[in-house]
Amino acid sequence: MVDYPKSDTGRAPVSQKRQVISPGNNGADGSAQVALTIDGQQVNVPVGTTILEAAKQVGIHIPTLCAHHDLCVAGVCRVCVVEVEGMRTLQASCAYPVSQPMNIQTHTRKVRQARRHIIDLMLSHHYGECYACGRNNNCELQALAKEYGVDFFRFGHPEKPEHEIDNSSHSVVRDMNKCVLCRRCVRTCIDLQEVGALEAINRGDKTRIATFMDQPLASVVCINCGQCINRCPTGALRANDPTDEVWAAIDDPTKHVVIQTAPAPRAAIGECFGLPPGRALTFEMNTALRVCGFDRVFDTNFTADLTILEEGTELLLRLQKALKETSGPVALPQFTSCSPGWIKYLEHFYPEYIPNVSTAKSPQQMFGAITKTYYAKLHGIDPKDIVTVALMPCSAKKFECNRPEMVDSGFKDVDYGLTTRELAKMIQEAGIDLPNMQPSDFDEPFGTATGSGVIFGATGGVMEAALRTVIELVVGVKVENLFEHADIIPVRGMDGIRCVELKIPSVGPVPDILKPLFESWEFLNGATLKVAIAHGTANAHKVMEDIKNGGPMSQFHFIEFMGCPGGCIGGGGQPIPTSLEIRQARAKAIYGEDSSSKIRKSHENPHVLKFYKEFLTEGPCGHLSHKLLHTHYTPRGKFITP
Amino acid sequence: MIAPKNRGPMSYDTVKAEAGLTAALAKTPAEVVATLTESGLKGRGGAGFPTGLKWKFAAESQGQDKYVICNADEGEPGTFKDRFLLTDYAGLVMDGMTAGGWAIGAKHGIIYLRGEYTYMCAHLEALLQARRDKQLLGKNVGGHQGFDFDIEIRMGSGAYVCGEETALIESLEGQRGEPRNRPPFPVDTGFMDKPSIVNNVETFAYVACILVKGADWFKKTGTAKSTGLKIFSVSGDCERPGVYEFPMGITVADLLSAVGGSDAKAVQIGGASGYCAPAAEFNRTIAYEDIATGGSIIVFGQNRDMLKVAKNFLEFFVEESCGQCTPCRDGNPKLLEGVELLEKGRCSTKYLSELCSLGETMQLASKCGLGQTSANAFLSIVKHFGPDVMARTPHCAGHRKS
Ligand SMILES: Cc1cc2nc3c(=O)[nH]c(=O)nc-3n(C[C@H](O)[C@H](O)[C@H](O)COP(=O)(O)O)c2cc1C
Ligand code: SF4
Ligand code: SF4
Ligand code: SF4
Ligand code: SF4
Ligand code: FES
């Protein structure tokens, strides 16, 4: 068995890793139990369970603020304190793993007083008015204040802001006036994502969260993933919101406003309307978008299918070079390019591997480029009057569409990136009851997509889509013959790193569309295709280190990287809160949509084939395709000069 | 080098450096631990945890690499005894550390030296080298096959909170000096996740004395719960400030008369984080069961303004809080603001009592000893010095803040 990198979080500061509560050593098999009395109720829990978890089991809710399921324990806000018999001080229940019988009281006078004081202390530094805040009604600080009946500011309330808002980034806006120093963002950035753009600086009451040398966020190694936004309990972090500009474009009669919608938001937007996670509202949303005033509603999955053809062809070309021609080195494994968070991570931390990244643009950017060329021509619309909006689960997509090179149509290919949260706000503002909209279809010519496009939204989806296509094009047999229902189960799931090896049993004839590039598939006959999937940049980091050190993954052929844990369904623009369960529910909705799609393979999308026939006549990776659908990357490095 | 003006007689003078180590190696590790337990020695750094028990836990912890860490961060205002010990009796401290290595099965010793004591480095390094030359450090220490132990010096960088043992460990690991959650405790998950004992300089020095002179010698002074002797750093309004060794359980009055401070208005026992005792309480004892201290005694004469004293201490904590947890980070500034209102005669009794209950919250809910003790001085001064605290007249007429 080859020793592939493990997918637990790695570079977290030692201190924080240690504070992940693990079962104690009293029962190596995890069977040792401790008897607790919580508010007079008896409960037995495994050694190492936190008081917080144990209390939940007996139906007692202890308030928390700095604790988060996805993150290491911090124990810093102290709102979760409880009284333990025999202990002089109160204990933070989120950070206390039990190992001995204890008698715990969760709401004594001391506890209530402490919690109220702590909330009051936070509010005494919190500048912001709820009714003018993006987190109104979805804010953990606000909820705590309500829970504890805060009706006046015991220790005062700031009347002016203390910090300047950092608006520098296309993706993340930091308003430290609303920060309560829970440090979830710090733990997210360094531990979950292993980027480390944020850290606490200074001491005492001067403590605040800052970037390296206090530079604007746009100038540091932030990869724009927005994972910190999703975990911030308050409105201190938010995405850079272009809804005003989008409304203005809609209101402007000279503008033709088209919106492309990615798969992940559909599976999540219902959460903003009170639905449980995992209910896709794809077709209801189409209607809502038209009611909002968008002129056309397109499916990003169309360009996802296009991406598969371009990226898959690119992979085959690299493999041909590596396996057949012996001339010169080939950059393998090939890395996927559709996650802009991952791309910026690579540009900062592994710029020497830029040649490995597929030059194919992400589906969002392909869409912009063909809308302002092919679509404009098809409908006789002057591309300067087209405004392209992208509905994405992602904050990094905002940065991506503002990359200076993304103007291959002669215009800014994608004008605005909207997140799921921002679109929900627009729909609410328009008074639309989204869950109860009549379903309607996407608009042509970019309305037909396949199940392969849909699963781009979940980790492993791009890989599965690529494999479905590559296998069929190369082997010449139906994927269904190899994988039941064309579900390539081994690449699915939520493990941080997944590795799969596929032997190519035999090869078929080269299909017409690829004839300009390949004479035969003989070079692949009997080869074993090694692929991997990593999601969340902490896992990407592990894979990259393995490759860099010449480990087993350096021998791989194709690796899918997603910047966010869970892939796009866990993107930084998705509804708040997030947790593994929520991400799993969204993924389930995505795979459900794939499963019920009529066409499930990118190369069978009739509109994509038509598009090649009519427009990109040289086929995948041809000239025009290179101009419009491929791009280049910027080595950035870690050392940022102010 | 600044020598304290006055020093009393010390039991360290009766024990030769290296004798402590010889005595330790004559015993089995378990016997060393048993002797310490028997002596009743409690940590001299302030928290007063039984040293024998701490070493026992560390000895029982599984793991190859263990660490013995000497806490020489001495940052408590009014404390200078560790500096004095490291200057005059460093040999005993090193004996104690090596005995610790023997007792718990550690190979590495670290002296975490306060940044301001950098000047001491050369002196300590020379001593360490001399010990290595004599095979009292290094391989097969004292001729004991297989007992390897060496000591390195690591410098602090001036944060008071890095004296807190888990923040100290974080700092040693190169992180921000911030206290950790516990459990787990350092004896089981310490420096680099390995079992570690962190002890005060003075604790190690007494370990050496106890191993030479026996547990009974130590136990015969002090009280039942606070055995033995203790070093005090005495400063402030008294005739003979300096470093003294007194038995545990000494009354405040006796201590004051020994240093010539009998007409004091108040005594701050235990530095900024300690307790401010008014004259009426001078009959109380200094012991873990009554008024505990890491050794700092600050004497305040009749003319001292106690509100200023409280303000001075709070300014220190506002600055020195690591900023990690809410009660300490945001609570100390509120108490300081309160003192400023009191100075102006603009704090209502209602708000003052709110601040006192905030002080209680800080004591109860803060993450580490700093926040848990930073309100002590304020609370004791408000309690005992009402006239100093409440008798200010407003500078100008106006409504009081409620
Ligand atoms: C804020 C803070 C500062 C401390 N500073 C010191 C210090 O400078 N020296 C010291 O020995 N202990 C200090 N301590 C106590 C240590 O945390 C720890 O209890 C001690 O080093 C244990 O050694 P002992 O058992 O020998 O006393 C401090 C504790 C706190 C909370
Ligand atoms: S962050 Fe929360 S508490 Fe603060 S203004 Fe926004 S909604 Fe209100
Ligand atoms: S957006 Fe991502 S990389 Fe940037 S600060 Fe937030 S978590 Fe870190
Ligand atoms: S920005 Fe948000 S997540 Fe970060 S410390 Fe402040 S409140 Fe917490
Ligand atoms: S009590 Fe103060 S010093 Fe201790 S962890 Fe909290 S903020 Fe830091
Ligand atoms: S939730 Fe436990 S300390 Fe913050």
Side-chain angles (χ1 to χ4, degrees):
Chain A
M1 192 52 213
V2 195
D3 202 10
Y4 299 128
K6 300 271 183 318
S7 48
D8 52 351
T9 51
R11 200 190 61 179
V14 208
S15 59
Q16 296 181 2
K17 251 197 321 191
R18 181 177 305 110
Q19 290 174 359
V20 177
I21 304 297
S22 58
N25 45 11
N26 306 34
D29 54 351
S31 64
Q33 298 273 314
V34 193
L36 304 178
T37 310
I38 303 179
D39 293 337
Q41 305 182 76
Q42 312 286 329
V43 62
N44 285 334
V45 294
V47 170
T49 309
T50 61
I51 296 178
L52 180 70
E53 289 298 327
K56 212 177 277 170
Q57 291 185 20
V58 290
I60 292 190
H61 163 75
I62 297 174
T64 55
L65 191 72
C66 67
H68 193 284
H69 299 286
D70 292 337
L71 305 175
C72 295
V73 173
V76 295
C77 75
R78 316 299 290 176
V79 290
C80 68
V81 287
V82 295
E83 200 167 333
V84 179
E85 193 178 78
M87 292 194 187
R88 188 177 48 86
T89 57
L90 303 176
Q91 302 298 324
S93 60
C94 73
Y96 201 105
V98 296
S99 60
Q100 275 160 11
M102 293 204 274
N103 187 0
I104 297 156
Q105 304 219 283
T106 68
H107 52 83
T108 58
R109 180 196 69 83
K110 284 178 187 169
V111 170
R112 291 194 320 271
Q113 172 184 294
R115 288 184 188 155
R116 177 71 208 264
H117 277 146
I118 288 165
I119 297 165
D120 276 318
L121 285 173
M122 287 191 223
L123 293 176
S124 77
H125 285 286
H126 181 80
Y127 173 78
E129 304 287 0
C130 297
Y131 37 76
C133 178
R135 289 295 291 274
N136 194 359
N137 250 335
N138 185 15
C139 169
E140 295 179 48
L141 180 62
Q142 192 187 43
L144 269 180
K146 176 162 177 270
E147 215 172 301
Y148 280 81
V150 173
D151 51 2
F152 74 106
F153 298 116
R154 197 172 301 226
F155 302 119
H157 192 56
E159 277 153 21
K160 329 192 268 301
E162 212 183 304
H163 309 280
E164 227 176 285
I165 295 178
D166 179 358
N167 249 323
S168 62
S169 160
H170 286 296
S171 300
V172 183
V173 179
R174 300 174 64 238
D175 178 359
M176 290 301 105
N177 298 300
K178 290 178 182 160
C179 173
V180 292
L181 293 169
C182 70
R183 302 204 192 176
R184 280 190 191 170
C185 56
V186 175
R187 283 174 285 149
T188 303
C189 197
I190 191 148
D191 176 28
L192 195 69
Q193 292 295 74
E194 298 203 0
V195 171
L198 302 173
E199 183 50 289
I201 63 162
N202 300 340
R203 248 189 355 223
D205 63 339
K206 297 194 180 61
T207 309
R208 62 197 168 81
I209 308 298
T211 56
F212 178 65
M213 300 284 283
D214 241 340
Q215 291 294 302
L217 195 63
S219 318
V220 298
V221 293
C222 168
I223 64 165
N224 302 312
C225 66
Q227 293 301 308
C228 50
I229 303 178
N230 287 4
R231 289 170 184 80
C232 177
T234 72
L237 298 175
R238 60 173 195 263
N240 205 334
D241 182 351
T243 41
D244 285 345
E245 288 87 338
V246 173
W247 277 124
I250 290 175
D251 292 341
D252 183 343
T254 65
K255 297 291 179 202
H256 182 75
V257 188
V258 306
I259 185 164
Q260 50 161 315
T261 74
R266 307 168 191 168
I269 195 165
E271 294 163 38
C272 299
F273 293 84
L275 297 183
R279 263 219 36 210
L281 291 177
T282 314
F283 303 102
E284 291 82 350
M285 200 169 76
N286 287 346
T287 313
L289 288 166
R290 290 193 186 91
V291 176
C292 277
F294 288 98
D295 295 303
R296 290 288 181 282
V297 181
F298 294 141
D299 191 346
T300 307
N301 295 342
F302 177 87
T303 38
D305 286 334
L306 208 53
T307 300
I308 288 301
L309 287 172
E310 293 292 330
E311 197 162 2
T313 307
E314 187 183 351
L315 175 65
L316 290 168
L317 282 170
R318 288 190 200 220
L319 290 173
Q320 169 166 268
K321 221 170 165 188
L323 300 175
K324 195 170 144 198
E325 301 158 21
T326 40
S327 61
V330 187
L332 279 174
Q334 177 173 306
F335 303 154
T336 56
S337 60
C338 33
S339 163
W342 146 249
I343 291 297
K344 192 152 182 269
Y345 180 82
L346 182 96
E347 289 174 337
H348 280 304
F349 295 95
Y350 299 96
E352 67 275 27
Y353 284 92
I354 283 178
N356 293 59
V357 186
S358 163
T359 57
K361 283 182 187 170
S362 70
Q364 161 178 293
Q365 291 309 124
M366 286 194 181
F367 216 113
I370 64 172
T371 304
K372 292 195 178 178
T373 53
Y374 174 73
Y375 172 78
K377 211 162 112 196
L378 203 66
H379 287 260
I381 307 172
D382 187 342
K384 84 168 175 9
D385 292 328
I386 299 182
V387 175
T388 48
V389 180
L391 169 64
M392 293 288 148
C394 181
S395 53
K397 288 278 171 198
K398 294 169 185 281
F399 172 83
E400 186 184 34
C401 76
N402 281 297
R403 291 176 80 113
E405 65 271 23
M406 294 296 180
V407 289
D408 292 325
S409 62
F411 302 87
K412 195 175 167 199
D413 292 339
V414 174
D415 292 290
Y416 304 110
L418 277 183
T419 62
T420 314
R421 297 189 295 266
E422 288 151 6
L423 181 71
K425 195 181 68 173
M426 287 181 74
I427 291 178
Q428 274 153 358
E429 198 176 347
I432 298 166
D433 178 13
L434 178 65
N436 291 318
M437 282 285 106
Q438 288 299 317
S440 67
D441 260 326
F442 290 99
D443 290 312
E444 296 303 341
F446 307 135
T448 317
T450 68
S452 278
V454 176
I455 55 174
F456 262 57
T459 164
V462 178
M463 182 57 69
E464 182 163 352
L467 289 178
R468 286 179 190 169
T469 289
V470 168
I471 290 175
E472 285 204 357
L473 294 185
V474 171
V475 185
V477 299
K478 288 271 166 212
V479 187
E480 285 80 349
N481 298 349
L482 301 172
F483 295 94
E484 194 180 337
H485 194 245
D487 289 343
I488 309 182
I489 301 293
V491 303
R492 298 188 184 178
M494 286 286 164
D495 282 349
I497 300 172
R498 309 189 290 284
C499 303
V500 178
E501 297 187 6
L502 282 176
K503 195 166 153 79
I504 299 180
S506 60
V507 294
V510 177
D512 288 347
I513 191 170
L514 293 178
K515 283 224 167 99
L517 299 169
F518 303 93
E519 281 171 14
S520 92
W521 295 136
E522 221 21 73
F523 65 94
L524 284 171
N525 204 351
T528 299
L529 207 54
K530 293 186 181 183
V531 302
I533 293 119
H535 58 122
T537 40
N539 291 312
H541 170 76
K542 273 189 213 72
V543 172
M544 290 308 298
E545 282 302 303
D546 185 76
I547 293 176
K548 208 169 159 174
N549 298 325
M553 299 193 90
S554 61
Q555 301 305 313
F556 274 41
H557 301 110
F558 191 36
I559 304 182
E560 175 201 298
F561 288 104
M562 290 290 155
C564 296
C568 307
I569 45 152
Q574 292 282 65
I576 298 169
T578 185
S579 70
L580 181 63
E581 292 72 37
I582 293 175
R583 295 191 291 275
Q584 277 167 336
R586 292 173 187 162
K588 211 171 146 206
I590 294 248
Y591 284 111
E593 194 169 324
D594 163 45
S595 183
S596 60
S597 298
K598 278 190 226 82
I599 313 170
R600 301 199 44 227
K601 292 162 227 160
S602 301
H603 59 282
E604 291 178 352
N605 183 332
H607 280 82
V608 168
L609 297 175
K610 182 163 166 250
F611 177 73
Y612 276 111
K613 212 158 150 206
E614 288 177 0
F615 192 62
L616 300 183
T617 46
E618 290 172 70
C621 296
H623 248 91
L624 189 55
S625 145
H626 261 291
K627 176 168 158 13
L628 289 179
L629 305 185
H630 290 254
T631 185
H632 59 271
Y633 306 98
T634 313
R636 295 175 200 270
K638 279 181 275 196
F639 301 99
I640 310 294
T641 32
Chain B
M1 214 176 290
I2 326 121
K5 265 207 206 102
N6 302 289
R7 53 179 288 183
M10 305 270 163
S11 48
Y12 304 128
D13 294 324
T14 63
V15 178
K16 275 218 216 33
E18 297 167 26
L21 177 57
T22 315
L25 294 178
K27 297 181 196 299
T28 65
E31 284 165 0
V32 172
V33 172
T35 307
L36 294 181
T37 311
E38 171 66 23
S39 74
L41 173 65
K42 289 185 179 172
R44 295 308 197 224
F49 191 82
T51 307
L53 193 57
K54 185 185 283 190
W55 289 23
K56 179 167 173 274
F57 286 146
E60 284 167 358
S61 270
Q62 305 297 319
Q64 274 298 307
D65 295 315
K66 296 186 183 178
Y67 293 89
V68 175
I69 299 168
C70 173
N71 187 344
D73 195 47
E74 193 165 55
E76 190 70 54
T79 320
F80 39 85
K81 61 166 182 89
D82 292 344
R83 183 184 75 197
F84 163 76
L85 286 177
L86 286 173
T87 308
D88 284 9
Y89 304 107
L92 291 180
V93 178
M94 292 168 186
D95 275 2
M97 290 179 70
T98 316
W102 175 243
I104 69 164
K107 287 191 172 56
H108 317 278
I110 300 170
I111 298 175
Y112 186 89
L113 191 62
R114 176 180 177 167
E116 287 83 343
Y117 295 172
T118 309
Y119 73 89
M120 251 187 234
C121 248
H123 152 73
L124 292 175
E125 287 290 4
L127 278 177
L128 289 174
Q129 193 49 48
R131 289 174 80 94
R132 280 180 205 117
D133 294 343
K134 291 195 210 162
Q135 225 194 348
L136 299 177
L137 286 177
K139 289 234 169 290
N140 304 324
V141 174
H144 268 261
Q145 280 302 317
F147 176 44
D148 303 341
F149 187 82
D150 210 333
I151 298 176
E152 65 171 311
I153 300 174
R154 297 277 293 269
M155 300 308 300
S157 305
Y160 166 62
V161 71
C162 288
E164 197 281 339
E165 55 186 7
T166 58
L168 184 154
I169 290 171
E170 286 287 292
S171 156
L172 280 178
E173 289 178 1
Q175 317 284 351
R176 256 174 87 84
E178 290 182 342
R180 295 175 176 172
N181 292 307
R182 11 171 177 206
F185 295 92
V187 284
D188 142 292
T189 310
F191 179 54
M192 304 307 273
D193 288 355
K194 307 290 187 217
S196 310
I197 50 172
V198 182
N199 279 113
N200 177 248
V201 173
E202 182 187 336
T203 310
F204 282 120
Y206 275 122
V207 165
C209 298
I210 292 167
L211 290 173
V212 172
K213 298 182 149 207
D216 287 338
W217 160 78
F218 194 73
K219 258 197 322 196
K220 74 175 193 285
T221 33
T223 70
K225 284 188 176 157
S226 309
T227 55
L229 298 140
K230 166 102 196 75
I231 310 292
F232 291 87
S233 322
V234 183
S235 61
D237 303 326
C238 60
E239 283 158 28
R240 291 178 296 280
V243 183
Y244 296 87
E245 182 180 58
F246 292 122
M248 292 298 277
I250 186 174
T251 62
V252 180
D254 286 350
L255 189 150
L256 285 175
S257 77
V259 301
S262 291
D263 69 335
K265 177 178 182 180
V267 181
Q268 178 74 17
I269 302 163
S273 59
Y275 179 75
C276 192
E281 295 188 358
F282 285 177
N283 58 344
R284 288 179 65 180
T285 59
I286 298 179
Y288 298 113
E289 63 272 25
D290 193 356
I291 306 176
T293 172
S296 158
I297 303 287
I298 305 173
V299 186
F300 298 116
Q302 291 301 331
N303 297 329
R304 293 284 164 184
D305 175 351
M306 297 313 288
L307 194 56
K308 272 223 173 81
V309 169
K311 184 175 177 185
N312 184 295
F313 286 152
L314 283 170
E315 281 168 348
F316 173 77
F317 287 120
V318 167
E319 183 92 354
E320 294 295 336
S321 155
C322 82
Q324 190 181 184
C325 74
T326 319
C328 167
R329 177 190 65 235
D330 293 343
N332 281 306
K334 287 298 159 202
L335 296 189
L336 180 59
E337 273 171 42
V339 169
E340 284 161 358
L341 287 175
L342 285 165
E343 277 183 333
K344 294 187 200 130
R346 283 170 167 276
C347 182
S348 67
T349 40
K350 182 162 166 257
Y351 192 57
L352 183 59
S353 84
E354 188 69 78
L355 289 177
C356 289
S357 68
L358 173 63
E360 187 194 15
T361 291
M362 291 162 61
Q363 290 175 325
L364 290 170
S366 292
K367 180 165 177 173
C368 86
L370 191 151
Q372 288 162 7
T373 56
S374 60
N376 291 356
F378 171 82
L379 292 175
S380 43
I381 287 171
V382 169
K383 185 167 162 208
H384 300 305
F385 300 94
D388 275 19
V389 171
M390 290 306 283
R392 309 293 166 117
T393 36
H395 287 309
C396 57
H399 63 274
R400 290 178 154 197
K401 173 152 181 173
S402 64

